[in-house]
Amino acid sequence: MKAFHTIVFLLLVVGGLNWLLVGLVGWDISRWLGGMDGTVARVIYILVGLSAVVALLHDAFVVLGIFSILGHFYLVEIDALFVTAMLTVIGFSVHDTIVVFDRVRENLPKMADKSFTEVVNFSLTETLVRSLNTSITVILTLTALLLFGGEPIRWFVVALLVGIVSGTYSRIFNAAPLLVIWENRTSRS
């Protein structure tokens, strides 16, 4: 069990460091964000990475927490399928968070006269239907698997269901608002 926690932690740290290192050292960030000042663009890019990592950690910890409770009360064991489900949830979470933040990046130059908060809100609204449609489709499919799939994959499907629902929530209500809060605090100082 300790080895599993170590592997999950290392995967999360490596993913977060990748976002941060690219933001600190790589790419022409000002061109990526439509000609903004390089320092401001770099700060926003780092904040995007941090917000994505926080949302990813939220999704992973929600699934781990619920399965800790299920393991305590219902003797649910963590196995290879659970690790597969966790990696799938992390991938799903990162992908959908990137979709939202990429739309923010696209809208920043187009909406230069608007505040950052308005740009993020508009971008989130633009991607909301797509994100909800994707999540609802996956949830319906997983519910069918849970009802008709059988015992061997039951806890795998439950882990995916918890992760997808948590990921949908965190992408909308954690990642984007966290980015706005951090950007507002950074722009004040």
Side-chain angles (χ1 to χ4, degrees), residues 34 49 56 61-62 71 96 141 150 160 184 188:
L56 175 114
F61 286 139
V62 165
D96 280 353
T141 305
L160 284 175
N184 287 340
R188 277 190 225 144

Side-chain angles (χ1 to χ4, degrees), residues 41 58 66 70 84 87 93 104 121 136 142 144 150 170-171:
H58 171 268
I66 288 179
L70 289 173
T84 305
L87 293 173
S93 173
V104 170
N121 186 41
I136 289 171
L142 290 173
S170 72
R171 167 175 58 262

